[in-house]
Amino acid sequence: MSHPRLKWVVLVFWLVLAGVCTPLAAGLLDQQDNEISSWLPGDAESTLALEQQIALGSDPDVVPAVVVYERTDGLTPADVEAIQDDIAAFGSTEGLDGDVVGPIPSEDGQAAEVIVPIDAGPDGWEAIAPIVDDLRAEASDGPDGLDTWVAGPAGNAADSSEAFSGLDTTLLFAALGVVILILLVTYRSPILWILPIFSAVIALQCSQALIYLLARYADLTVNAQSASILTVLVVGAGTDYALLLVARYREELRLHADRHEAMTEAVHRAGPAVLASGGTVVLGMLCLLAADMNSTRGLGPVAAIGIAVTLVVLMTLLPALLVICGRWVFWPVRPTLGSAEPSASGFWARIGARIQPRPRVVWVGTSAVLLVACLGLFALNAKGLTQADSFRGTPESVEGDAVAVEHFPAAAGNPVHVLTTADDADEVAAAVAANDGIADVAEPQVVGDEAIIEAELADPADSDAAYDTIRSLRVELDDVGDGQALVGGNTAINLDVQTASQRDNRVIIPLVMLVVLLVLGVLLRAVVAPLVLVATVVLSFGAALGISALIFDWTIDVSATDSSFPLFVFVFLVALGIDYNIFLMTRVREEAYDHGTRRAALIALAATGGVITSAGLVLAATFAVLGTLPLTFLTQLGIAVALGVLLDTLVVRSVLVTALNLDVGRWMWWPSRLAQRRDEPGYSRHPGADGTRVPTPRSDRDAAQDVRPGS
């Protein structure tokens, strides 16, 4: 940015590109794939069963809606007549596939069910929602005292669709709102916050446009979950990178008369750390490509693209905007040439002074407290959420399912589908019927050489007992006929999702740790420092997860979590939290060439503690926005990531890592040559004992002379 004209070229380029990308970004919603296949594990038995059903002519997009009628003192003839009228009306509803089944009376005479097959088509739950709304409107117009609900898989899908409705817009404005508030407090400027926010919005538009093109022309899978996380990720991470760059630019403005030179130096100094941070996030997200779960695997490239585009925008557009505006954009506290660097005597400089005399006591004590927090992991139940627990609050479908369970077989409307050969159909049907967890078995439906058998579970479809039934059926059917029978259906799908998610946790978490370790090793050119930093990351993750488990139980009254929850929290905390590790440690390394590691640790903490804290608050607040949504998984994810980021910035990065730097000293850089650089003569662990003071950042030195080998 040292050339006066370059900044205008950069600005015009991004404005033109944003204008082109805006209509493309708006089309991303239409490219979302919310069909069930976009969420399933690719090679699971339930997925194979679903594919075989498609081959036999069954439509996997047909989802049953279960209309439940109840009068607690018994259905009246008028009620039965009203139900018959509803059935006639349901039959003419657009979007149905097949005959309406019912009414099915309960044995106690207090309830009846009608099963309506809905064809979701390629639009998934988005197409189901308006059809379910029509069913609910029709069913609700009955005699006084007759209660109705539209439940079952279609009712659940419609309520999920409503929960995600307008989610992108809501999340964007909520995230921007909290970020603007924090930036106003951080910068104490009524103007400066506009530039990072403008850059983040441009990054979001461009990334959404690119993802839209890849989804449309390159079969990239995007669903509502990944699109929502993309919004939070780009706004949060983009603002983080902006904070890091602006902080270094403001520091350089105190050393350079020309703002173009100051920006060039800021990009030179902070750029490698920002690029390494973003690159680590990109690589961490791409590790999700190793997942079995299609939804998890699809999130990887979506998030990676978002971060990559954000990096390019923040490292080009934001510097151009800052240079165009000049020093006045920092008003009312403008950094002038030669002015004192406030961080030299700020809060984090004082914290460093307190850590300095007894660093080992500090890091051992801090680690012990975090280990105690990790004990909360024993309260974490990551075996999956029931349908009722998936929502915060009780939508109509959940109420209807609960009423249906009181009057009908527990898994009505959620059949088990067993696929086998026509020759083995009768034998397989008999084996299924003999299982204690099966309440009823229909006659096999033979199509050519294949057959489909529908069975009704004796237990609620999302209960542990139902999952045990699926497991036992699969084992038993291995010895029936040719042993190739496939067990599918909603319960089997949920079981396979849990199994695949647990496998992904075991594979991807170590993979992400390895990637982070390698990136830190290359960036810091050391072995000890990366190992120490990764250990702090794991400790921070465990503490965040342990405390979150207790918070879930105490606040939202749901102790269970989705099976993929630990993986998502780990990826976001490690991939994003490593930013603060990189920013702090690259500054320690930079200063260590002049001062030695221990003094450099204090300089780095004083110089970066404030901006790391601000960045952490921004990221935590952005993810906390997810906690306002009516979906349990996203609420839990928002709480855990926000808590983890706060722990990372306020405790782990600023206190624990600084104490370790002070205690381990130059051996942090082993085996590089920097490990041989001893501390400055006169350095003391006890400030004031030899007349020394807590060192100041590099603002007291001439930038032109500030050249270090290998920095």
Side-chain angles (χ1 to χ4, degrees):
M1 293 304 162
S2 58
H3 195 284
R5 293 195 183 96
L6 180 58
K7 58 182 180 288
W8 296 106
V9 174
V10 172
L11 177 60
V12 171
F13 170 80
W14 283 113
L15 289 178
V16 171
L17 187 60
V20 172
C21 289
T22 297
L24 297 176
L28 182 59
L29 182 63
D30 297 331
Q31 291 299 316
Q32 290 183 17
D33 181 3
N34 291 312
E35 293 185 48
I36 192 170
S37 58
S38 73
W39 301 78
L40 297 181
D43 57 354
E45 183 169 332
S46 58
T47 306
L48 298 176
L50 188 60
E51 292 172 352
Q52 190 167 327
Q53 284 182 258
I54 296 172
L56 293 177
S58 296
D59 190 345
D61 294 325
V62 174
V63 182
V66 180
V67 186
V68 182
Y69 299 85
E70 183 194 44
R71 187 185 291 273
T72 53
D73 55 356
L75 295 177
T76 66
D79 293 337
V80 175
E81 183 179 351
I83 294 172
Q84 293 289 358
D85 291 341
D86 286 347
I87 292 173
F90 295 159
S92 60
T93 301
E94 185 177 353
L96 266 60
D97 186 288
D99 296 329
V100 177
V101 178
I104 305 170
S106 63
E107 291 185 0
D108 58 15
Q110 296 177 358
E113 281 185 342
V114 174
I115 299 176
V116 184
I118 296 176
D119 184 4
D123 294 330
W125 63 20
E126 293 174 7
I128 292 177
I131 299 173
V132 168
D133 287 342
D134 291 341
L135 297 181
R136 285 172 173 166
E138 182 65 39
S140 63
D141 188 20
D144 292 340
L146 179 63
D147 297 318
T148 63
W149 300 265
V150 177
N156 297 146
D159 288 335
S160 296
S161 176
E162 182 179 347
F164 276 103
S165 177
L167 190 60
D168 292 341
T169 304
T170 302
L171 274 180
L172 176 60
F173 285 110
L176 289 177
V178 296
V179 168
I180 289 170
L181 179 61
I182 293 174
L183 290 180
L184 282 169
V185 174
T186 300
Y187 290 140
R188 299 182 179 89
S189 167
I191 303 167
L192 182 57
W193 64 269
I194 297 174
L195 304 187
I197 292 297
F198 179 75
S199 301
V201 171
I202 294 293
L204 182 61
Q205 290 289 95
C206 292
S207 59
Q208 287 177 333
L210 179 56
I211 291 168
Y212 162 80
L213 293 174
L214 292 174
R216 182 169 182 178
Y217 299 109
D219 295 328
L220 176 66
T221 299
V222 185
N223 55 36
Q225 177 177 277
S226 57
S228 302
I229 290 175
L230 174 70
T231 300
V232 171
L233 195 59
V234 169
V235 172
T239 309
D240 259 16
Y241 301 146
L243 281 164
L244 302 182
L245 181 63
V246 171
R248 194 58 185 253
Y249 174 55
R250 182 162 51 184
E251 188 177 330
E252 296 298 336
L253 283 173
R254 303 179 191 278
L255 303 173
H256 297 83
D258 185 87
R259 65 181 186 275
H260 298 85
E261 292 180 6
M263 180 55 74
T264 300
E265 186 69 12
V267 171
H268 171 67
R269 295 293 182 186
V274 173
L275 292 174
S277 299
T280 305
V281 178
V282 170
L283 292 174
M285 294 303 171
L286 290 178
C287 289
L288 296 178
L289 289 171
D292 274 353
M293 286 289 296
N294 286 343
S295 56
T296 303
R297 188 164 60 247
L299 174 63
V302 169
I305 290 169
I307 292 296
V309 172
T310 302
L311 272 177
V312 175
V313 174
L314 267 294
M315 293 306 294
T316 55
L317 176 60
L318 181 60
L321 291 171
L322 287 167
V323 174
I324 288 170
C325 292
R327 297 175 189 261
W328 68 266
V329 78
F330 289 93
W331 182 87
V333 186
R334 294 175 55 194
T336 58
L337 180 64
S339 60
E341 172 58 49
S343 62
S345 57
F347 173 78
W348 290 108
R350 295 194 296 273
I351 292 296
R354 290 182 176 274
I355 298 172
Q356 183 184 358
R358 294 175 293 277
R360 186 168 300 174
V361 172
V362 172
W363 76 256
V364 169
T366 304
S367 299
V369 172
L370 292 173
L371 283 171
V372 170
C374 291
L375 295 176
L377 287 169
F378 292 107
L380 186 69
N381 175 14
K383 295 182 179 179
L385 295 165
T386 65
Q387 191 64 48
D389 286 341
S390 296
F391 297 93
R392 291 176 59 199
T394 310
E396 180 176 328
S397 62
V398 172
E399 291 181 358
D401 286 337
V403 172
V405 167
E406 294 178 6
H407 301 286
F408 298 94
N414 277 290
V416 176
H417 296 131
V418 181
L419 292 99
T420 184
T421 63
D423 293 339
D424 294 336
D426 292 336
E427 187 178 358
V428 169
V432 172
N435 189 290
D436 292 339
I438 298 297
D440 189 29
V441 177
E443 289 293 321
Q445 304 172 35
V446 178
V447 181
D449 295 332
E450 306 294 331
I452 303 176
I453 301 166
E454 282 197 3
E456 193 174 88
L457 290 163
D459 302 289
D462 54 5
S463 65
D464 289 339
Y467 293 143
D468 289 340
T469 298
I470 298 297
R471 293 189 187 96
S472 64
L473 274 177
R474 287 173 170 173
V475 172
E476 293 164 4
L477 294 180
D478 284 343
D479 298 324
V480 178
D482 62 4
Q484 301 300 309
L486 300 173
V487 179
N490 287 336
T491 301
I493 286 171
N494 291 338
L495 175 62
D496 289 339
V497 164
Q498 289 184 23
T499 303
S501 295
Q502 290 163 4
R503 175 265 176 198
D504 291 345
N505 293 343
R506 294 191 301 271
V507 171
I508 297 177
I509 288 178
L511 183 60
V512 172
M513 287 176 58
L514 178 62
V515 167
V516 169
L517 186 65
L518 292 175
V519 171
L520 288 174
V522 171
L523 181 67
L524 301 177
R525 298 165 219 173
V527 172
V528 174
L531 289 172
V532 169
L533 294 176
V534 168
T536 65
V537 163
V538 173
L539 185 59
S540 175
F541 165 70
L545 218 56
I547 298 173
S548 296
L550 301 178
I551 291 175
F552 299 157
D553 198 26
W554 296 338
T555 58
I556 60 177
D557 199 28
V558 177
S559 57
T561 66
D562 189 86
S563 305
S564 61
F565 173 76
L567 173 61
F568 275 65
V569 174
F570 182 84
V571 169
F572 286 122
L573 279 184
V574 173
L576 295 172
I578 204 66
D579 290 358
Y580 313 125
N581 257 328
I582 289 174
F583 196 64
L584 175 65
M585 291 303 292
T586 52
R587 187 59 181 264
V588 173
R589 190 175 188 278
E590 178 185 335
E591 301 289 349
Y593 281 103
D594 283 349
H595 302 289
T597 300
R598 290 193 171 97
R599 185 177 288 259
L602 298 178
I603 295 174
L605 177 61
T608 66
V611 68
I612 286 178
T613 301
S614 299
L617 289 174
V618 166
L619 196 61
T622 307
F623 269 89
V625 170
L626 291 174
T628 65
L629 302 178
L631 298 168
T632 302
F633 171 72
L634 290 179
T635 297
Q636 292 177 330
L637 181 64
I639 291 173
V641 174
L643 175 62
V645 168
L646 290 177
L647 277 177
D648 224 29
T649 54
L650 299 176
V651 179
V652 176
R653 229 46 66 220
S654 302
V655 177
L656 179 59
V657 173
T658 297
L660 286 166
N661 276 324
L662 289 170
D663 193 24
V664 179
R666 60 192 173 94
W667 297 112
M668 272 285 197
W669 312 112
W670 185 88
S672 73
R673 286 186 301 170
L674 189 55
Q676 307 306 315
R677 171 64 167 89
R678 296 182 180 275
D679 292 311
E680 283 185 342
Y683 172 83
S684 173
R685 286 192 181 184
H686 302 278
D690 59 354
T692 62
R693 298 176 60 188
V694 176
T696 60
R698 63 185 292 273
S699 58
D700 63 347
R701 303 188 304 277
D702 184 1
Q705 298 175 352
D706 189 17
V707 179
R708 301 166 178 76
S711 61

